[in-house]
Amino acid sequence: MAERYDWTTEEILDLLQKPLLDLVYEAQTVHREHNSHDIQLATLLSVKTGGCGEDCGYCAQSAHHETPVKAEPIMDVAAVLGKAAQAKAAGASRFCMGWAWREIRDGKAFDDMVDMVKGVRQMGMEACVTAGMLNDSQAERLADAGLTAYNHNLDTGPEYYDQVISTRTYGDRLQTLERVRKAGITLCCGGIIGLGESLRDRARMLEILATMTPHPESVPINALVGVEGTPLQSQQTVEPFELVRMCATARILMPKTKVRLSAGRESLSQEAQVLCFMAGANSIFYGEKLLTVDNQSGDRDRDLLKEIGVQPLQPTA
Ligand code: SAM
Ligand code: DTB
Ligand code: SF4
């Protein structure tokens, strides 16, 4: 089946609500046609933790919420590259670095970010950065440094967005994504389920991603980790099948994209994770921590992949 860029909300809602076995079968069929069964291991590091000016209702790092995460000094280049080398030795092929910023500002911290990107690329890994909004010249400098991908999530559908975040708009998000694309950096853009959104909100988010040309090269699917002190701390935990449905639908809509099973994996059984892989998820975050919350342990992940006979994907960039 050829890739499509004209998906409608109703078509996506139909997919999300299909009988689960039919949905997974369809997604697996698309997956086999377009991809190998390898799974990419991406390791995350929080370079600048906490004290963020945005008020994202889910986030442990927002200065607007009283959470167990406190602002920490920014890590220096050597320390970050040391962590990158460890991640590579443990088998990761992508290294993702996060800054809890509303937007990138020029100056030493940005110069250091550029050096971190160059260093990670020299190690032969893909490099991804997530650091909030950016302008055209910052995007170009990151592209020149060899940045593989910029992560900037839409998080939810446009109609629900202002229920979760008030300090920026959906339009701000889309503008950053355009700048990243224009600079020739690949897009890592996805969202979170479990914020109290409707099925239509999930479909709308997927619609916006799946009608981009080209599709985002990577789509992280996060399940809310309810962090103490955030406005969303008491949301009901996402049912594993909901995650399976999101992964499967994303796979059908965007056949070649890396569908990344992201936050919330720690609370999934091994069987539920394998069902997500069947549904087309082909990347995971690998390492003890995500940015501030715990992740599944690396040993468990290695054991799981070995058990099911799946290889970690080798770097392509
Ligand atoms: N400041 C940058 C930004 O907002 O783009 C980057 C960091 S931010 C932590 C990256 C993404 O992680 C968010 O867009 C959100 O989708 C996800 N995320 C953050 N906190 C989460 C949580 N508690 N549970 C699930 N996903 C979360
Ligand atoms: C994404 O969509 N998920 C990752 C990555 N992009 C940067 C981050 C998940 C963060 C989970 C909450 C935390 O660790 O604070
Ligand atoms: Fe800041 Fe990003 Fe957290 Fe929002 S998600 S509060 S922008 S670190």
Side-chain angles (χ1 to χ4, degrees):
M1 228 202 333
E3 283 167 75
R4 282 181 49 195
Y5 303 92
D6 60 352
W7 294 97
T8 65
T9 317
E10 298 310 318
E11 280 179 303
I12 300 171
L13 269 172
D14 285 350
L15 283 171
L16 283 169
Q17 296 176 95
K18 239 176 137 107
L20 189 73
L21 298 183
D22 291 338
L23 177 63
V24 171
Y25 177 76
E26 187 175 336
Q28 171 68 194
T29 307
V30 171
H31 190 40
R32 279 187 180 245
E33 193 185 321
H34 291 91
N35 308 294
S36 75
H37 274 311
D38 296 348
I39 292 196
Q40 185 179 50
L41 304 182
T43 294
L44 265 172
L45 176 69
S46 184
V47 176
K48 191 267 175 188
T49 304
C52 181
E54 302 274 33
D55 72 348
C56 311
Y58 47 76
C59 189
Q61 304 197 70
S62 166
H64 297 257
H65 324 311
E66 198 48 56
T67 77
V69 173
K70 297 289 161 256
E72 286 173 26
I74 308 186
M75 289 178 72
D76 64 35
V77 179
V80 169
L81 294 183
K83 292 280 185 190
Q86 281 174 14
K88 183 178 158 82
S93 63
R94 181 158 164 132
F95 193 66
C96 310
M97 297 167 277
W99 281 254
W101 281 339
R102 174 175 157 74
E103 75 254 306
I104 297 180
R105 297 215 185 112
D106 292 327
K108 175 167 182 341
F110 182 49
D111 298 343
D112 283 354
M113 181 192 292
V114 168
D115 288 343
M116 291 168 195
V117 169
K118 287 183 183 156
V120 170
R121 299 294 286 131
Q122 272 162 14
M123 288 177 201
M125 280 191 289
E126 298 179 10
C128 180
V129 161
T130 182
M133 295 183 262
L134 47 58
N135 62 35
D136 283 322
S137 74
Q138 291 162 344
E140 277 158 29
R141 260 190 86 190
L142 287 170
D144 289 345
L147 184 67
T148 314
Y150 197 81
N151 167 249
H152 202 67
N153 289 346
L154 288 176
D155 284 338
T156 189
E159 292 77 19
Y160 193 64
Y161 199 72
D162 65 3
Q163 303 285 304
V164 182
I165 298 148
S166 74
T167 50
R168 60 167 187 252
T169 65
Y170 218 69
D172 292 332
R173 271 335 239 187
L174 293 169
Q175 189 180 49
T176 296
L177 295 173
E178 265 174 37
R179 289 174 176 163
V180 170
R181 267 265 144 91
K182 201 164 87 190
I185 301 167
T186 72
L187 276 192
C188 174
C189 183
I192 315 185
I193 61 170
L195 304 170
E197 75 285 350
S198 66
L199 209 57
R200 183 169 285 272
D201 294 317
R202 292 180 192 173
R204 289 279 291 139
M205 178 185 86
L206 289 170
E207 177 189 347
I208 290 164
L209 297 172
T211 53
M212 290 181 184
T213 316
H215 295 145
E217 288 74 11
S218 156
V219 169
I221 307 286
N222 297 278
L224 178 73
V225 178
V227 177
E228 194 194 319
T230 61
L232 294 171
Q233 66 173 2
S234 310
Q235 283 292 325
Q236 241 185 339
T237 313
V238 167
E239 288 290 334
F241 291 148
E242 303 273 297
L243 265 175
V244 177
R245 285 181 180 282
M246 281 300 281
C247 292
T249 305
R251 169 55 62 223
I252 295 165
L253 301 176
M254 298 169 277
K256 291 187 179 148
T257 292
K258 288 263 161 11
V259 175
R260 205 176 301 277
L261 183 57
S262 302
R265 199 165 61 84
E266 199 207 10
S267 49
L268 289 187
S269 69
Q270 299 221 322
E271 293 79 359
Q273 292 181 62
V274 172
L275 208 45
C276 290
F277 299 151
M278 281 291 290
N282 58 349
S283 173
I284 53 175
F285 282 118
Y286 172 67
E288 308 293 317
K289 262 197 184 252
L290 293 169
L291 290 170
T292 68
V293 308
D294 288 342
N295 191 22
Q296 190 109 276
S297 86
D299 287 347
R300 266 196 94 193
D301 284 337
R302 275 193 299 272
D303 289 350
L304 176 61
L305 295 192
K306 199 161 163 220
E307 177 90 19
I308 62 173
V310 160
Q311 301 298 321
L313 183 78
Q314 295 309 307
T316 50

